[in-house]
Amino acid sequence: MQEFTNETFDLDSLPKYEEIVLTSPNAKYWNVIVINLSIILLFIGGGLAIIYYFIEDDKPKAIYLIAGYLVFCALLFTVHRLSFKKRGYALREKDIVYKSGIIAEKTTIVPLNRIQHVALDQGITSRSYGLATLQIFTAGGQTGHLHIAGIEVERAKNIKEILLRKLDQIENLIENQ
């Protein structure tokens, strides 16, 4: 019978994930974000214009609506720009790290042995810029999934291949035990 042990970790000796050098999304990905936001804002603006046109009683002054809409657009672009600058990822020997967030910074570390599936996705706008989104699905359910956008297609394919090879190695180790 094996003796039970439950040693404590020396927290100071553990590697610090904050010190990891992260790779930022490709700068062209900002163009993709701008195009997608602009399309959405055009639809919202068009919808507001139609609603304003059909209001018959007590119409608010158009200048206030336009000013409010422009302030909303400026805030939305500012938040997305700040968010874009805070994103980053790193592929390490035993895990993949993804960081995002402006106010509440979120760092997700996924051990490679928890990855179940890896997919590559390209939207219409991303494809025109040669970019892709790497989707990593984990055994941890929805909360553990990673979607790393703004990676050059070739680089994303290379990362996907590396991850798939690591998954094969892990499966072979499990089968041989």
Side-chain angles (χ1 to χ4, degrees):
M1 180 173 204
Q2 190 175 27
E3 185 178 324
F4 176 75
T5 62
N6 193 6
E7 298 293 323
T8 59
F9 284 109
D10 178 15
L11 297 178
D12 294 329
S13 68
L14 293 174
K16 307 281 187 242
Y17 73 88
E18 297 92 348
E19 297 171 357
I20 299 169
V21 177
L22 300 174
T23 303
S24 298
N26 188 296
K28 291 188 260 180
Y29 187 60
W30 174 244
N31 297 340
V32 173
I33 293 172
V34 168
I35 291 169
N36 291 339
L37 272 178
S38 297
I39 291 169
I40 291 168
L41 290 173
L42 281 173
F43 278 111
I44 291 172
L48 289 174
I50 290 170
I51 291 170
Y52 182 79
Y53 177 76
F54 285 111
I55 293 176
E56 293 182 15
D57 312 342
D58 206 20
K59 277 191 180 184
K61 296 213 181 227
I63 191 75
Y64 295 127
L65 251 102
I66 293 170
Y69 179 71
L70 291 176
V71 167
F72 172 73
C73 291
L75 284 172
L76 198 60
F77 277 102
T78 302
V79 166
H80 275 81
R81 183 62 184 178
L82 293 173
S83 171
F84 175 76
K85 289 183 174 185
K86 289 287 204 169
R87 297 179 191 182
Y89 67 94
L91 179 61
R92 302 190 304 174
E93 182 182 346
K94 296 186 189 305
D95 57 26
I96 189 161
V97 179
Y98 181 66
K99 182 177 166 186
S100 64
I102 303 168
I103 297 169
E105 197 173 273
K106 179 180 176 183
T107 303
T108 306
I109 302 171
V110 177
L112 296 183
N113 64 353
R114 301 294 290 170
I115 296 173
Q116 291 185 333
H117 178 66
V118 182
L120 206 68
D121 182 38
Q122 283 186 286
I124 294 171
T125 315
S126 295
R127 192 176 319 127
S128 66
Y129 284 96
L131 302 174
T133 298
L134 189 65
Q135 297 182 37
I136 300 169
F137 301 93
T138 65
Q142 283 296 101
T143 57
H145 298 336
L146 287 182
H147 299 275
I148 305 172
I151 305 173
E152 301 86 3
V153 174
E154 285 306 312
R155 184 178 201 137
K157 285 180 181 178
N158 289 340
I159 293 171
K160 180 181 174 185
E161 288 301 317
I162 290 169
L163 291 175
L164 290 176
R165 272 190 254 131
K166 285 282 191 180
L167 291 176
D168 284 342
Q169 288 174 356
I170 292 168
E171 283 180 23
N172 290 336
L173 282 173
I174 292 171
E175 287 175 5
N176 293 333
Q177 287 182 351

